[in-house]
Amino acid sequence: MGIPIGNLTSQLFANIYMNELDQFVKHELKVKRYARYTDDFIIVSADREYLALLIPRIELFLQTRLRLSLHPRKVEIRAYHRGIDFLGYVILSHHMRLRTKTKKRMIRKLRERVVAYRSGHIKEEQLLGSLRSYLGVLSHADAYGLIEALKNDFWFWLHE
């Protein structure tokens, strides 16, 4: 939907503001499998037609009640076996992977933080905080190999 959520108060505001959508989806549309965090949400159903029929109803609600709209390139109906792309992860039936785009962005940003540290623009604690944050994100996914590779790359970048 495109609500700016750069800081914690924006995220809190989005969760409060979007409560009306939650109520509409759960109580009026009677959707059983619905999840939302800030301005991202998913609906899971085996019935593709049902999902297609929900889209215009949700769009109309968002426009008339909240003055928001669905992002035209982010609305997707996909087969469950392809996984659910949500909040930087791809959720599959028995495990969760980090989205490839998220992985690439994480590695690039961490490398930038190392460069900033080596040039004196940030302190060691800020750099380590970034590493710990990324390791925390990875801890929610099946990413043991990626975690080990990221730690090794981090050490290498620090000492190149």
Side-chain angles (χ1 to χ4, degrees), residues 120-133:
H121 289 95
I122 65 170
K123 297 183 184 302
E124 180 179 11
E125 189 53 39
Q126 292 171 288
L127 175 62
L128 293 176
S130 293
L131 175 63
R132 285 190 293 268
S133 175

Side-chain angles (χ1 to χ4, degrees), residues 35-52:
R36 182 188 59 77
Y37 179 75
T38 62
D39 66 339
D40 293 318
F41 69 91
I42 57 173
I43 297 172
V44 179
S45 173
D47 187 342
R48 191 175 194 83
E49 283 183 44
Y50 167 73
L51 292 171

Side-chain angles (χ1 to χ4, degrees), residues 55-116:
I55 295 169
R57 294 184 69 192
I58 291 171
E59 180 74 40
L60 180 63
F61 175 84
L62 288 170
Q63 288 175 351
T64 58
R65 294 289 299 272
L66 300 178
R67 300 191 192 283
L68 296 172
S69 61
L70 295 172
H71 193 291
R73 292 187 313 260
K74 294 185 178 179
V75 175
E76 180 179 23
I77 297 175
R78 62 194 281 174
Y80 182 72
H81 71 272
R82 289 183 50 212
I84 298 169
D85 186 348
F86 190 56
L87 302 176
Y89 301 94
V90 177
I91 305 163
L92 298 153
S93 61
H94 298 302
H95 67 284
M96 194 161 55
R97 294 188 324 239
L98 194 66
R99 184 191 303 145
T100 302
K101 182 175 160 184
T102 304
K103 174 183 150 184
K104 289 178 181 178
R105 182 175 46 241
M106 179 185 298
I107 291 168
R108 180 178 44 83
K109 291 285 195 179
L110 188 57
R111 175 103 190 189
E112 289 171 3
R113 298 292 279 176
V114 170
V115 169

